[in-house]
Amino acid sequence: MGNMSSDFLIEKLGDAKVHFERALDCKHTEFDDLYPYMIEHPQFFWYKRYVAWSELLTVVKLCTELGVEWREQFTEKQGEYIAGRVMSSRVLDEWYETNREHVG
């Protein structure tokens, strides 16, 4: 596969990572524009994260099938979460690997 295709996939992978992280942080994504009527829905942020996670897994799957190295775009832990494929509460809580322990 040519370099252009590899570069293209790595760029898409970066976009998908940003999209997921924006969804995690409850920031605006194109999902908000696609489903404006859902913003008031209590499950909205869950749907938004689910869509972004699915997109990330899809791009990773394409990278894997086409032999493009994807793991170097992520921390080791993030790579494990993606390989595990399940968006668990642990993924949501520990994606950034910062200690967010409650003080008190």
Side-chain angles (χ1 to χ4, degrees):
M1 189 165 83
N3 275 350
M4 199 169 98
S5 302
S6 298
D7 292 345
F8 174 77
L9 270 177
I10 292 300
E11 184 184 324
K12 291 295 157 201
L13 185 63
D15 291 348
K17 181 176 188 254
V18 167
H19 184 199
F20 178 64
E21 290 178 348
R22 286 187 67 82
L24 264 187
D25 296 338
C26 300
K27 291 181 178 165
H28 187 275
T29 70
E30 66 180 19
F31 190 73
D32 298 72
D33 301 329
L34 292 172
Y35 302 102
Y37 61 89
M38 276 183 62
I39 290 173
E40 302 303 315
H41 196 288
Q43 292 295 314
F44 177 73
F45 288 110
W46 189 90
Y47 285 122
K48 189 169 157 168
R49 289 168 182 159
Y50 173 78
V51 166
W53 181 247
S54 299
E55 179 188 337
L56 184 57
L57 292 182
T58 299
V59 179
V60 164
K61 185 178 179 197
L62 286 172
C63 288
T64 302
E65 289 177 3
L66 295 169
V68 174
E69 179 49 55
W70 60 268
R71 280 186 182 261
E72 53 201 40
Q73 307 298 316
F74 301 91
T75 66
E76 194 175 333
K77 264 266 170 54
Q78 289 171 346
E80 288 172 18
Y81 295 147
I82 291 167
R85 300 183 57 81
V86 176
M87 188 181 73
S88 63
S89 57
R90 189 169 174 205
V91 172
L92 299 176
D93 292 341
E94 300 177 19
W95 179 259
Y96 292 113
E97 293 187 56
T98 53
N99 287 329
R100 292 186 178 175
E101 291 175 14
H102 295 291
V103 179

